PDB file of all heavy atoms in Angstrom:
ATOM      1  N   ARG A  16     -13.058  17.947  -3.839  1.00  0.00           N
ATOM      2  CA  ARG A  16     -11.981  17.909  -4.840  1.00  0.00           C
ATOM      3  C   ARG A  16     -11.698  19.305  -5.388  1.00  0.00           C
ATOM      4  O   ARG A  16     -10.540  19.660  -5.650  1.00  0.00           O
ATOM      5  CB  ARG A  16     -12.350  16.952  -5.968  1.00  0.00           C
ATOM      6  CG  ARG A  16     -12.297  15.481  -5.554  1.00  0.00           C
ATOM      7  CD  ARG A  16     -12.723  14.547  -6.655  1.00  0.00           C
ATOM      8  NE  ARG A  16     -12.625  13.154  -6.227  1.00  0.00           N
ATOM      9  CZ  ARG A  16     -13.459  12.191  -6.593  1.00  0.00           C
ATOM     10  NH1 ARG A  16     -14.475  12.485  -7.415  1.00  0.00           N
ATOM     11  NH2 ARG A  16     -13.314  10.960  -6.162  1.00  0.00           N
ATOM     12  N   ALA A  17     -12.743  20.108  -5.553  1.00  0.00           N
ATOM     13  CA  ALA A  17     -12.549  21.488  -6.003  1.00  0.00           C
ATOM     14  C   ALA A  17     -11.785  22.282  -4.946  1.00  0.00           C
ATOM     15  O   ALA A  17     -10.919  23.099  -5.270  1.00  0.00           O
ATOM     16  CB  ALA A  17     -13.897  22.145  -6.292  1.00  0.00           C
ATOM     17  N   ALA A  18     -12.098  22.043  -3.682  1.00  0.00           N
ATOM     18  CA  ALA A  18     -11.376  22.702  -2.598  1.00  0.00           C
ATOM     19  C   ALA A  18      -9.901  22.316  -2.611  1.00  0.00           C
ATOM     20  O   ALA A  18      -9.024  23.156  -2.383  1.00  0.00           O
ATOM     21  CB  ALA A  18     -12.005  22.336  -1.250  1.00  0.00           C
ATOM     22  N   ALA A  19      -9.630  21.049  -2.888  1.00  0.00           N
ATOM     23  CA  ALA A  19      -8.237  20.587  -2.945  1.00  0.00           C
ATOM     24  C   ALA A  19      -7.451  21.332  -4.014  1.00  0.00           C
ATOM     25  O   ALA A  19      -6.278  21.663  -3.820  1.00  0.00           O
ATOM     26  CB  ALA A  19      -8.202  19.080  -3.197  1.00  0.00           C
ATOM     27  N   GLU A  20      -8.103  21.631  -5.132  1.00  0.00           N
ATOM     28  CA  GLU A  20      -7.443  22.396  -6.194  1.00  0.00           C
ATOM     29  C   GLU A  20      -7.177  23.833  -5.745  1.00  0.00           C
ATOM     30  O   GLU A  20      -6.134  24.399  -6.054  1.00  0.00           O
ATOM     31  CB  GLU A  20      -8.303  22.392  -7.462  1.00  0.00           C
ATOM     32  CG  GLU A  20      -8.271  21.093  -8.229  1.00  0.00           C
ATOM     33  CD  GLU A  20      -6.872  20.772  -8.756  1.00  0.00           C
ATOM     34  OE1 GLU A  20      -6.243  21.651  -9.392  1.00  0.00           O
ATOM     35  OE2 GLU A  20      -6.388  19.647  -8.491  1.00  0.00           O
ATOM     36  N   ARG A  21      -8.138  24.413  -5.007  1.00  0.00           N
ATOM     37  CA  ARG A  21      -7.970  25.803  -4.561  1.00  0.00           C
ATOM     38  C   ARG A  21      -6.810  25.949  -3.574  1.00  0.00           C
ATOM     39  O   ARG A  21      -6.101  26.941  -3.588  1.00  0.00           O
ATOM     40  CB  ARG A  21      -9.251  26.303  -3.898  1.00  0.00           C
ATOM     41  CG  ARG A  21     -10.411  26.521  -4.833  1.00  0.00           C
ATOM     42  CD  ARG A  21     -11.576  27.194  -4.123  1.00  0.00           C
ATOM     43  NE  ARG A  21     -12.780  27.087  -4.944  1.00  0.00           N
ATOM     44  CZ  ARG A  21     -13.715  26.149  -4.784  1.00  0.00           C
ATOM     45  NH1 ARG A  21     -13.608  25.278  -3.788  1.00  0.00           N
ATOM     46  NH2 ARG A  21     -14.753  26.112  -5.590  1.00  0.00           N
ATOM     47  N   ILE A  22      -6.669  24.992  -2.693  1.00  0.00           N
ATOM     48  CA  ILE A  22      -5.703  25.163  -1.605  1.00  0.00           C
ATOM     49  C   ILE A  22      -4.357  24.497  -1.853  1.00  0.00           C
ATOM     50  O   ILE A  22      -3.432  24.671  -1.057  1.00  0.00           O
ATOM     51  CB  ILE A  22      -6.287  24.630  -0.267  1.00  0.00           C
ATOM     52  CG1 ILE A  22      -6.324  23.101  -0.252  1.00  0.00           C
ATOM     53  CG2 ILE A  22      -7.667  25.207   0.003  1.00  0.00           C
ATOM     54  CD1 ILE A  22      -6.711  22.516   1.101  1.00  0.00           C
ATOM     55  N   LYS A  23      -4.209  23.759  -2.963  1.00  0.00           N
ATOM     56  CA  LYS A  23      -3.045  22.893  -3.111  1.00  0.00           C
ATOM     57  C   LYS A  23      -1.709  23.629  -3.142  1.00  0.00           C
ATOM     58  O   LYS A  23      -0.681  23.067  -2.751  1.00  0.00           O
ATOM     59  CB  LYS A  23      -3.186  22.020  -4.360  1.00  0.00           C
ATOM     60  CG  LYS A  23      -3.119  22.767  -5.690  1.00  0.00           C
ATOM     61  CD  LYS A  23      -3.261  21.780  -6.850  1.00  0.00           C
ATOM     62  CE  LYS A  23      -3.177  22.469  -8.195  1.00  0.00           C
ATOM     63  NZ  LYS A  23      -3.316  21.508  -9.315  1.00  0.00           N
ATOM     64  N   LEU A  24      -1.703  24.880  -3.598  1.00  0.00           N
ATOM     65  CA  LEU A  24      -0.432  25.609  -3.659  1.00  0.00           C
ATOM     66  C   LEU A  24      -0.078  26.254  -2.320  1.00  0.00           C
ATOM     67  O   LEU A  24       1.048  26.734  -2.153  1.00  0.00           O
ATOM     68  CB  LEU A  24      -0.494  26.686  -4.749  1.00  0.00           C
ATOM     69  CG  LEU A  24      -0.656  26.180  -6.182  1.00  0.00           C
ATOM     70  CD1 LEU A  24      -0.708  27.354  -7.147  1.00  0.00           C
ATOM     71  CD2 LEU A  24       0.477  25.224  -6.561  1.00  0.00           C
ATOM     72  N   LEU A  25      -0.998  26.248  -1.376  1.00  0.00           N
ATOM     73  CA  LEU A  25      -0.766  26.925  -0.101  1.00  0.00           C
ATOM     74  C   LEU A  25      -0.804  25.986   1.099  1.00  0.00           C
ATOM     75  O   LEU A  25      -0.007  26.125   2.019  1.00  0.00           O
ATOM     76  CB  LEU A  25      -1.802  28.039   0.093  1.00  0.00           C
ATOM     77  CG  LEU A  25      -1.690  29.208  -0.888  1.00  0.00           C
ATOM     78  CD1 LEU A  25      -2.907  30.102  -0.780  1.00  0.00           C
ATOM     79  CD2 LEU A  25      -0.427  30.013  -0.606  1.00  0.00           C
ATOM     80  N   ALA A  26      -1.737  25.057   1.104  1.00  0.00           N
ATOM     81  CA  ALA A  26      -1.850  24.142   2.241  1.00  0.00           C
ATOM     82  C   ALA A  26      -0.742  23.090   2.186  1.00  0.00           C
ATOM     83  O   ALA A  26      -0.267  22.709   1.114  1.00  0.00           O
ATOM     84  CB  ALA A  26      -3.208  23.461   2.242  1.00  0.00           C
ATOM     85  N   VAL A  27      -0.342  22.634   3.347  1.00  0.00           N
ATOM     86  CA  VAL A  27       0.663  21.574   3.451  1.00  0.00           C
ATOM     87  C   VAL A  27      -0.024  20.222   3.246  1.00  0.00           C
ATOM     88  O   VAL A  27      -1.078  19.962   3.833  1.00  0.00           O
ATOM     89  CB  VAL A  27       1.332  21.594   4.838  1.00  0.00           C
ATOM     90  CG1 VAL A  27       2.316  20.434   4.990  1.00  0.00           C
ATOM     91  CG2 VAL A  27       2.033  22.926   5.069  1.00  0.00           C
ATOM     92  N   ARG A  28       0.570  19.388   2.408  1.00  0.00           N
ATOM     93  CA  ARG A  28       0.107  17.994   2.295  1.00  0.00           C
ATOM     94  C   ARG A  28       0.766  17.238   3.451  1.00  0.00           C
ATOM     95  O   ARG A  28       1.898  16.775   3.332  1.00  0.00           O
ATOM     96  CB  ARG A  28       0.475  17.402   0.945  1.00  0.00           C
ATOM     97  CG  ARG A  28      -0.091  15.995   0.702  1.00  0.00           C
ATOM     98  CD  ARG A  28       0.278  15.486  -0.681  1.00  0.00           C
ATOM     99  NE  ARG A  28      -0.137  14.109  -0.893  1.00  0.00           N
ATOM    100  CZ  ARG A  28      -1.326  13.731  -1.343  1.00  0.00           C
ATOM    101  NH1 ARG A  28      -2.228  14.647  -1.652  1.00  0.00           N
ATOM    102  NH2 ARG A  28      -1.631  12.441  -1.504  1.00  0.00           N
ATOM    103  N   THR A  29       0.073  17.159   4.544  1.00  0.00           N
ATOM    104  CA  THR A  29       0.673  16.647   5.771  1.00  0.00           C
ATOM    105  C   THR A  29       0.945  15.141   5.670  1.00  0.00           C
ATOM    106  O   THR A  29       0.207  14.415   5.013  1.00  0.00           O
ATOM    107  CB  THR A  29      -0.231  16.928   6.981  1.00  0.00           C
ATOM    108  OG1 THR A  29      -1.535  16.380   6.730  1.00  0.00           O
ATOM    109  CG2 THR A  29      -0.349  18.426   7.241  1.00  0.00           C
ATOM    110  N   PRO A  30       1.988  14.678   6.329  1.00  0.00           N
ATOM    111  CA  PRO A  30       2.356  13.261   6.220  1.00  0.00           C
ATOM    112  C   PRO A  30       1.398  12.340   6.962  1.00  0.00           C
ATOM    113  O   PRO A  30       0.720  12.742   7.912  1.00  0.00           O
ATOM    114  CB  PRO A  30       3.753  13.221   6.840  1.00  0.00           C
ATOM    115  CG  PRO A  30       3.781  14.362   7.795  1.00  0.00           C
ATOM    116  CD  PRO A  30       2.962  15.444   7.139  1.00  0.00           C
ATOM    117  N   LEU A  31       1.364  11.097   6.517  1.00  0.00           N
ATOM    118  CA  LEU A  31       0.661  10.027   7.216  1.00  0.00           C
ATOM    119  C   LEU A  31       1.738   9.187   7.899  1.00  0.00           C
ATOM    120  O   LEU A  31       2.599   8.606   7.234  1.00  0.00           O
ATOM    121  CB  LEU A  31      -0.135   9.185   6.218  1.00  0.00           C
ATOM    122  CG  LEU A  31      -1.223   8.271   6.784  1.00  0.00           C
ATOM    123  CD1 LEU A  31      -2.313   9.089   7.467  1.00  0.00           C
ATOM    124  CD2 LEU A  31      -1.828   7.411   5.685  1.00  0.00           C
ATOM    125  N   ILE A  32       1.705   9.167   9.221  1.00  0.00           N
ATOM    126  CA  ILE A  32       2.792   8.596  10.011  1.00  0.00           C
ATOM    127  C   ILE A  32       2.420   7.218  10.539  1.00  0.00           C
ATOM    128  O   ILE A  32       1.299   6.994  11.001  1.00  0.00           O
ATOM    129  CB  ILE A  32       3.136   9.529  11.191  1.00  0.00           C
ATOM    130  CG1 ILE A  32       3.598  10.896  10.661  1.00  0.00           C
ATOM    131  CG2 ILE A  32       4.205   8.912  12.088  1.00  0.00           C
ATOM    132  CD1 ILE A  32       3.765  11.937  11.745  1.00  0.00           C
ATOM    133  N   GLU A  33       3.385   6.304  10.487  1.00  0.00           N
ATOM    134  CA  GLU A  33       3.189   4.956  11.022  1.00  0.00           C
ATOM    135  C   GLU A  33       4.442   4.559  11.786  1.00  0.00           C
ATOM    136  O   GLU A  33       5.560   4.875  11.371  1.00  0.00           O
ATOM    137  CB  GLU A  33       2.922   3.967   9.881  1.00  0.00           C
ATOM    138  CG  GLU A  33       2.644   2.551  10.333  1.00  0.00           C
ATOM    139  CD  GLU A  33       2.290   1.617   9.175  1.00  0.00           C
ATOM    140  OE1 GLU A  33       2.512   2.012   8.003  1.00  0.00           O
ATOM    141  OE2 GLU A  33       1.802   0.510   9.442  1.00  0.00           O
ATOM    142  N   HIS A  34       4.271   3.874  12.911  1.00  0.00           N
ATOM    143  CA  HIS A  34       5.426   3.442  13.699  1.00  0.00           C
ATOM    144  C   HIS A  34       5.205   2.008  14.183  1.00  0.00           C
ATOM    145  O   HIS A  34       4.139   1.684  14.721  1.00  0.00           O
ATOM    146  CB  HIS A  34       5.647   4.364  14.899  1.00  0.00           C
ATOM    147  CG  HIS A  34       7.006   4.230  15.506  1.00  0.00           C
ATOM    148  ND1 HIS A  34       7.360   3.170  16.303  1.00  0.00           N
ATOM    149  CD2 HIS A  34       8.116   5.003  15.408  1.00  0.00           C
ATOM    150  CE1 HIS A  34       8.612   3.287  16.687  1.00  0.00           C
ATOM    151  NE2 HIS A  34       9.102   4.394  16.152  1.00  0.00           N
ATOM    152  N   PRO A  35       6.205   1.147  14.002  1.00  0.00           N
ATOM    153  CA  PRO A  35       6.023  -0.265  14.384  1.00  0.00           C
ATOM    154  C   PRO A  35       5.721  -0.468  15.863  1.00  0.00           C
ATOM    155  O   PRO A  35       4.999  -1.404  16.225  1.00  0.00           O
ATOM    156  CB  PRO A  35       7.354  -0.910  13.983  1.00  0.00           C
ATOM    157  CG  PRO A  35       8.325   0.211  13.836  1.00  0.00           C
ATOM    158  CD  PRO A  35       7.519   1.380  13.381  1.00  0.00           C
ATOM    159  N   ALA A  36       6.255   0.387  16.724  1.00  0.00           N
ATOM    160  CA  ALA A  36       5.993   0.226  18.161  1.00  0.00           C
ATOM    161  C   ALA A  36       4.512   0.417  18.467  1.00  0.00           C
ATOM    162  O   ALA A  36       3.928  -0.323  19.273  1.00  0.00           O
ATOM    163  CB  ALA A  36       6.838   1.219  18.958  1.00  0.00           C
ATOM    164  N   LEU A  37       3.890   1.406  17.825  1.00  0.00           N
ATOM    165  CA  LEU A  37       2.460   1.646  18.028  1.00  0.00           C
ATOM    166  C   LEU A  37       1.631   0.523  17.423  1.00  0.00           C
ATOM    167  O   LEU A  37       0.651   0.061  18.013  1.00  0.00           O
ATOM    168  CB  LEU A  37       2.058   2.997  17.430  1.00  0.00           C
ATOM    169  CG  LEU A  37       0.590   3.425  17.606  1.00  0.00           C
ATOM    170  CD1 LEU A  37       0.221   3.486  19.084  1.00  0.00           C
ATOM    171  CD2 LEU A  37       0.348   4.772  16.945  1.00  0.00           C
ATOM    172  N   ASN A  38       2.032   0.059  16.239  1.00  0.00           N
ATOM    173  CA  ASN A  38       1.336  -1.062  15.608  1.00  0.00           C
ATOM    174  C   ASN A  38       1.364  -2.298  16.496  1.00  0.00           C
ATOM    175  O   ASN A  38       0.357  -2.987  16.678  1.00  0.00           O
ATOM    176  CB  ASN A  38       1.962  -1.378  14.254  1.00  0.00           C
ATOM    177  CG  ASN A  38       1.667  -0.326  13.194  1.00  0.00           C
ATOM    178  OD1 ASN A  38       0.813   0.530  13.386  1.00  0.00           O
ATOM    179  ND2 ASN A  38       2.381  -0.398  12.085  1.00  0.00           N
ATOM    180  N   ASP A  39       2.547  -2.594  17.075  1.00  0.00           N
ATOM    181  CA  ASP A  39       2.682  -3.768  17.947  1.00  0.00           C
ATOM    182  C   ASP A  39       1.805  -3.636  19.185  1.00  0.00           C
ATOM    183  O   ASP A  39       1.162  -4.596  19.616  1.00  0.00           O
ATOM    184  CB  ASP A  39       4.146  -3.941  18.375  1.00  0.00           C
ATOM    185  CG  ASP A  39       5.048  -4.392  17.226  1.00  0.00           C
ATOM    186  OD1 ASP A  39       4.492  -4.849  16.196  1.00  0.00           O
ATOM    187  OD2 ASP A  39       6.271  -4.267  17.345  1.00  0.00           O
ATOM    188  N   ARG A  40       1.786  -2.447  19.738  1.00  0.00           N
ATOM    189  CA  ARG A  40       0.998  -2.238  20.955  1.00  0.00           C
ATOM    190  C   ARG A  40      -0.491  -2.403  20.691  1.00  0.00           C
ATOM    191  O   ARG A  40      -1.237  -2.938  21.529  1.00  0.00           O
ATOM    192  CB  ARG A  40       1.282  -0.852  21.519  1.00  0.00           C
ATOM    193  CG  ARG A  40       0.523  -0.547  22.794  1.00  0.00           C
ATOM    194  CD  ARG A  40       0.988   0.736  23.425  1.00  0.00           C
ATOM    195  NE  ARG A  40       0.238   1.030  24.642  1.00  0.00           N
ATOM    196  CZ  ARG A  40       0.483   2.063  25.440  1.00  0.00           C
ATOM    197  NH1 ARG A  40       1.477   2.894  25.171  1.00  0.00           N
ATOM    198  NH2 ARG A  40      -0.241   2.261  26.522  1.00  0.00           N
ATOM    199  N   MET A  41      -0.949  -1.934  19.513  1.00  0.00           N
ATOM    200  CA  MET A  41      -2.374  -1.955  19.205  1.00  0.00           C
ATOM    201  C   MET A  41      -2.810  -3.220  18.461  1.00  0.00           C
ATOM    202  O   MET A  41      -3.991  -3.471  18.279  1.00  0.00           O
ATOM    203  CB  MET A  41      -2.747  -0.725  18.377  1.00  0.00           C
ATOM    204  CG  MET A  41      -2.458   0.601  19.072  1.00  0.00           C
ATOM    205  SD  MET A  41      -3.238   0.740  20.698  1.00  0.00           S
ATOM    206  CE  MET A  41      -4.967   0.717  20.238  1.00  0.00           C
ATOM    207  N   GLY A  42      -1.837  -4.001  17.979  1.00  0.00           N
ATOM    208  CA  GLY A  42      -2.174  -5.236  17.281  1.00  0.00           C
ATOM    209  C   GLY A  42      -2.722  -5.019  15.886  1.00  0.00           C
ATOM    210  O   GLY A  42      -3.530  -5.809  15.380  1.00  0.00           O
ATOM    211  N   GLY A  43      -2.312  -3.954  15.235  1.00  0.00           N
ATOM    212  CA  GLY A  43      -2.759  -3.657  13.877  1.00  0.00           C
ATOM    213  C   GLY A  43      -2.057  -2.423  13.361  1.00  0.00           C
ATOM    214  O   GLY A  43      -1.291  -1.788  14.094  1.00  0.00           O
TER     215      GLY A  43
END
Side-chain angles (χ1 to χ4, degrees):
R16 288 177 179 145
E20 284 297 310
R21 290 188 194 97
I22 73 172
K23 68 180 181 180
L24 296 180
L25 293 169
V27 176
R28 186 178 175 88
T29 55
L31 196 63
I32 299 172
E33 183 176 13
H34 197 284
L37 182 58
N38 289 348
D39 289 345
R40 181 171 179 176
M41 300 305 295

